[in-house]
Every structure is written in C-alpha cells, then in structure tokens.
Amino acid sequence: MSEPSPPRGLWASRTGFVLAAAGSAVGLGNVWRFPYITGENGGGLFVLIYLACILLIGLPVMIAEIMIGRAAQRSTVSAFKNLAGPRTPWRALGGLGVVVAFLILSFYSVVAGWTIHYTLLSLRGLLGGRTPEEIQALFGGLYTSVPLNLVWTLAFLALTMAVVGRGVRNGLERWSRIMMPGLLVLLLVLLARATTMDGFGPAFGFVFGLHADSLTGGGVIEAMGHSFFTLSLGMGGLLTYGSYLRRDADVPLMSVGIAGLDTLIALLACLVIFPITFSYGIEPAEGAGLIFTSVPIAFAQMPAGGVLATIFFALMVVAALTSSISMLEVATAYFIDEKGWSRSRATWISGLTISALAIPSALSGATDLFGPRFASLAGRSWFELVADLASNWSLPIGGMGMALFVAWRLPAALRREQFASGSRFARGYAGWLIALRYVVPLAMLAVFGRAVGVF
Ligand code: PFF
C-alpha cells in the first residue's frame, strides 16, 4: 500500500474524527426523519426492528466502512483501487456512493432549509402565542411556498459549500463540539416538559410497546434503510472521514460511541415529539412536517419558549450542516483524489450540480402553483421518491457491498490488524467477522425479500 501523494488533512485533535463522524451521524435523520417514519409505521415493532438493525447490521458495517478509509488513506473510489487493484470491480461501490451523496443532499437540503426558516420565525417571535391549529397551518404554508423553499434550500447548500470549500480541518470539529451537547441538553429540557403532558403515557406505549398493527414490508425496509441513513453509512461518508484518521485510532470503540449517541438522540426525539402529538390530537402519521408542527406547540407554552425554540431550531441547522458537509465531502474528495481537481473547483462543481438536483425536491410541495404533476414521478413527489430510493435501497446496498469487501476481499492479515490495532475490543474480532460475513448479508436479503414480497 502506497502512502497518499497529497498530504491529507489529518484531524486536528484526537477527538476530531469522533466529533466529525458523530456530527455526520447526528442530524435531521434523528430529530426529523426518525420520529416521522416511526409515526407513519405505527411505532413499537418498527422501533424494535430499527434498533436490531443498528446493532446487528449498522455497527459492524460502520467499523468496516471506517476501516476501508483508514487502511487506504483515500476517499471512496480510490480507496477500493488502492486496496484491491486499479481495475477492481469493487470501485463501483465508491461510484455508487458519490451518486447517492448527490441524491441525498438534494432532498436533505430542503428540510434543512425548513429549519433555517423556523429558526428565523422563532427569532422574530412569530411562533409564540399561536394555537396548535395555527402552528400546523404555518407549516402547510411553508411546504407549499415556492420562494421560501427555493431560497432556504439554496442558502443551506451555499453554507455547506462554504464549509467544505475550506477543507475538513477548518471549522468542522468546532461546529460539532457545540452542536452535540447543546442538542442533548435541549432535548432533555423538552423531555422534562413532555413527561408532564397527558400524552406522555400513550406516547411511551406507542414508541416502546410491541404492537405490530401497521407495519408493512415497506416499513421493515424503511427501518433498515433508516439505520444506514442515520449512521451515515453506505455511501462512503465515514469512509472518507476515516481516510483522514490516524493509524492508532480505536475504530471499534469509536463506532460503538457514535452509534450509541446517535440512537440516544433519535429515541429522545421520539419521546419529546409523541407526547405532544398525543396531547394535542395531532396525527402521529402526519408525515414530513411532524417535528415542525409538534415541537413549536410545546415551546409556545414554556417560559422563555421563544428563546428556547430559537436555540432548538438553530441547533437543528447546525446538526444538518455537520451532516450535509459529510455528504458534499464524499463528492468533493472523489473529484480531488480521482480527477486531481483543486478543492475549490471540486466543491463548486459538486455543489452547483446538487443545487440543480435540489430544485424539484424543493418544489415538491408547491402543487398549487405548478399542478400535482410537477416534481412528481410515479405518483409520488420527487422528494419522496429520491428519499426512498437513496436511503432505503442505495445505502443498504452500498453498505452490504462494503461489508462483503472487508469480509471476503481484504487480506485477512490487514483486516485483523486494522480491527485490533490499539483497540480494547480486539477480542470481538471473530464476532464482528461473523456479523459481516453472514448476519449482515442474510438479514439484508431477508429485508429486501420482504419488501419485494418474496416472503
Ligand atoms: N446521518 C445523517 C442524519 O441522520 O441526518 C444523514 C446522512 C449523512 C446520511 C451522511 C448519509 C450520509 F452519508
């Protein structure tokens, strides 16, 4: 294995990688997407399947993905070439990841744009003193607005490009350092409020009770797809971050920490949101607007609610940013490593392409103006279709590919050395390898089979 030609921006501090990887994992997936798909899939069994996927599939794949990056010291496509030869078919996995990064960021930035809008609304005091009905109508107004969606989506993408253009070391670690503890504290404040609501008991039962009423094959695949989405797995984001990682880092330990924190935040978000929906008669299955229609209701009735709401939504913007950065970094690092482009050129070209792709997603709700056929495909909005294809199918397929690569293609000595060097989990090697070789592919085949109706 050759050393990389351009010096790579190794993380500035020992915690740099952990902060950035956790910043990538913790994002809108935890606070926006997980509660809303849990609501749509009836809670209970869906949550359990999701947790099983995190533990049995997500965690082993995360270790494998980071390891590929660290072993190769290269971003996605180049990493596979570096480890398996220049013409290796495995490099297609890297190519898939770059395409998926473009797709995911194109719809992610729309929701991130909504969080910017809500930050400004609460800053101007416009969320306070409203009835639950008015708060719901407010989201409807945003969802269908052409100018608001366009402006905030593109503004968020510009922000992402500004950070990525400056390189991984600058800024990224600092952002994550503020965002994570801040988000945790605010979720705990909201949780304290939620426990006093009438809806807390039913909400707890909804999230943790074992009822399977509305879980479909599609729901099972959504649980698995989301476990990849929320951990940022399967498209090379963590692989790319791992390529900037020093050789003495304890990858298994870091992975356990990142997956644990990510899961904690997702569950907390549910325990904050569902008590509100149950107390105020909001549909748990209300869809993508769930967090925007529920959380402001709780803040509206709390002392200093306006300030807290502003901080909450601002933290969501930062959480979205530390995730979107990791998506754009996949594309940017690919063009730098593979095509020899400068960082700023790679960032500009990828960012502008994603901006163009984001426009139909941003306009997916604006059916009044453009008619229901605009920005829709096969009966679904462009936004829903891209989200489903990219996160429920492409990420798991990419992740399974990486698991198979590490389990079957990587030389055994290198694999063992990468897992065990400096790790206090060195004894877990055999179990991890079994998970990668058998549990991950079989579980995924079962889920895909269920989704397409084979069982
Ligand atoms: N994990 C991020 C979240 O939960 O919001 C989303 C994400 C980031 C997905 C990076 C995929 C990715 F590569």
Side-chain angles (χ1 to χ4, degrees), residues 21-34 65 97 100-101 104-105 107-108 226-238 262 319-320 322-328 330 391 395:
S24 167
V26 175
L28 299 176
N30 306 62
V31 273
W32 160 72
R33 192 164 189 262
F34 182 61
E65 177 167 343
V100 175
I104 293 191
L105 189 48
F107 78 86
Y108 201 81
H226 187 70
S227 70
F228 281 84
F229 184 87
T230 192
L231 296 178
S232 304
L233 295 179
M235 57 164 241
L238 293 185
D262 189 84
T322 53
S323 301
S324 65
I325 287 165
S326 69
M327 299 178 218
L328 186 56
V330 169
S391 34
L395 292 182

Side-chain angles (χ1 to χ4, degrees), residues 285-378:
E286 105 132 35
L290 185 64
I291 187 166
F292 299 98
T293 52
S294 57
V295 167
I297 296 179
F299 281 128
Q301 301 165 351
M302 284 164 73
V307 178
L308 291 179
T310 311
I311 301 175
F312 178 80
F313 284 112
L315 284 171
M316 270 184 77
V317 176
V318 178
L321 194 61
T322 53
S323 301
S324 65
I325 287 165
S326 69
M327 299 178 218
L328 186 56
E329 180 66 21
V330 169
T332 302
Y334 163 78
F335 289 117
I336 296 174
D337 282 358
E338 278 292 302
K339 307 281 177 213
W341 292 2
S342 69
R343 175 163 280 273
S344 70
R345 174 166 184 203
T347 311
W348 269 98
I349 295 186
S350 325
L352 291 179
T353 312
I354 295 168
S355 303
L357 279 175
I359 290 175
S361 277
L363 299 183
S364 284
T367 48
D368 291 353
L369 195 60
F370 294 109
R373 298 184 74 79
F374 181 79
S376 74
L377 283 166

Side-chain angles (χ1 to χ4, degrees), residues 185-203:
V185 169
L186 262 189
L187 284 174
L188 289 173
V189 170
L190 280 170
L191 180 67
R193 175 74 187 86
T195 51
T196 65
M197 292 183 181
D198 295 340
F200 189 76

Side-chain angles (χ1 to χ4, degrees), residues 63-346:
I63 298 172
E65 177 167 343
I66 298 173
M67 187 181 273
I68 298 172
R70 185 182 57 172
Q73 299 278 301
R74 292 277 203 284
S75 66
T76 44
V77 175
S78 327
F80 291 100
K81 291 192 192 167
N82 185 288
L83 295 170
R87 303 227 49 81
T88 174
W90 293 99
R91 71 187 196 281
L93 278 177
L96 176 73
V98 176
V99 173
V100 175
F102 276 70
L103 290 178
I104 293 191
L105 189 48
S106 76
F107 78 86
Y108 201 81
S109 54
V110 177
V111 184
W114 298 344
T115 64
I116 301 182
H117 182 66
Y118 270 72
T119 308
L120 297 180
L121 283 182
S122 35
L123 190 66
R124 290 157 60 206
L126 297 179
L127 289 181
R130 289 188 188 253
T131 62
E133 292 72 31
E134 287 170 337
I135 285 177
Q136 283 188 284
L138 200 65
F139 179 74
L142 167 63
Y143 186 64
T144 52
S145 161
V146 174
L148 289 178
N149 277 299
L150 280 184
V151 165
W152 295 130
T153 301
L154 297 178
F156 180 78
L157 281 170
L159 214 57
T160 307
M161 286 160 68
V163 181
V164 172
R166 293 169 58 210
V168 283
R169 284 178 66 163
N170 302 327
L172 197 54
E173 306 179 25
R174 223 172 312 136
W175 285 103
S176 310
R177 210 181 284 267
I178 315 169
M179 181 273 292
M180 234 111 44
L183 196 61
L184 256 178
V185 169
L186 262 189
L187 284 174
L188 289 173
V189 170
L190 280 170
L191 180 67
R193 175 74 187 86
T195 51
T196 65
M197 292 183 181
D198 295 340
F200 189 76
F204 198 87
F206 179 74
V207 178
F208 292 114
L210 274 189
H211 40 90
D213 338 340
S214 41
L215 193 66
T216 59
V220 176
I221 199 167
E222 187 137 49
M224 181 177 75
H226 187 70
S227 70
F228 281 84
F229 184 87
T230 192
L231 296 178
S232 304
L233 295 179
M235 57 164 241
L238 293 185
L239 187 158
T240 304
Y241 279 5
S243 77
Y244 307 115
L245 191 61
R246 290 169 206 276
R247 298 196 173 275
D248 55 356
D250 186 342
V251 174
L253 179 69
M254 289 172 167
S255 304
V256 169
I258 296 165
L261 178 74
D262 189 84
T263 308
L264 176 72
I265 292 189
L267 293 177
L268 271 177
C270 281
L271 287 182
V272 162
I273 287 176
F274 289 114
I276 308 172
T277 64
F278 279 92
S279 302
Y280 291 91
I282 301 171
E283 251 311 296
E286 105 132 35
L290 185 64
I291 187 166
F292 299 98
T293 52
S294 57
V295 167
I297 296 179
F299 281 128
Q301 301 165 351
M302 284 164 73
V307 178
L308 291 179
T310 311
I311 301 175
F312 178 80
F313 284 112
L315 284 171
M316 270 184 77
V317 176
V318 178
L321 194 61
T322 53
S323 301
S324 65
I325 287 165
S326 69
M327 299 178 218
L328 186 56
E329 180 66 21
V330 169
T332 302
Y334 163 78
F335 289 117
I336 296 174
D337 282 358
E338 278 292 302
K339 307 281 177 213
W341 292 2
S342 69
R343 175 163 280 273
S344 70
R345 174 166 184 203

